[in-house]
C-alpha cells in the first residue's frame, strides 16, 4: 500500500494535510509540519482500526510526503 500525504495552505493561513487514499483523513495545523504530522497520525490510527476490526489485511505501508 502506498499513501501520499498532501499539504496545502488555505486562504486563512492554516495548513491542510490529507491522505487522499483514506477518505476523511485530513488535518489542519498552524504550520505545514504540524498539519502533516496530525494527518500522518490519523492515517496510522485509521489503518490500525481497520486491521483490528478485520477490515484490511496486514501489508507493507509506505507513506510519501509531498507538499502541494
Amino acid at each position: 500500500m502506498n499513501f501520499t500525504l498532501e499539504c496545502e495552505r488555505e486562504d486563512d493561513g492554516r495548513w491542510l494535510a490529507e491522505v487522499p487514499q483514506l477518505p476523511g483523513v485530513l488535518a489542519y495545523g498552524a504550520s505545514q509540519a504540524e498539519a502533516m504530522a496530525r494527518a500522518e497520525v490519523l492515517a496510522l490510527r485509521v489503518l490500525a482500526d481497520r486491521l483490528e476490526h478485520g477490515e484490511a489485511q496486514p501489508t507493507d505501508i509506505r507513506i510519501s510526503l509531498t507538499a502541494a
Side-chain angles (χ1 to χ4, degrees):
M1 260 183 205
N2 289 313
F3 297 103
T4 303
L5 183 56
E6 298 177 351
C7 193
E8 62 183 39
R9 192 165 200 168
E10 298 284 292
D11 291 337
D12 63 4
R14 295 181 301 168
W15 287 88
L16 174 64
E18 69 176 318
V19 178
Q21 297 86 353
L22 296 172
V25 174
L26 52 94
Y28 282 99
S31 68
Q32 182 178 16
E34 180 182 17
M36 292 176 79
R38 287 180 175 182
E40 187 175 352
V41 166
L42 181 55
L44 293 171
R45 286 181 181 152
V46 166
L47 291 172
D49 189 59
R50 287 183 181 181
L51 287 168
E52 196 171 67
H53 292 95
E55 298 170 15
Q57 298 298 318
T59 184
D60 288 336
I61 298 171
R62 293 180 192 91
I63 297 175
S64 61
L65 306 175
T66 57

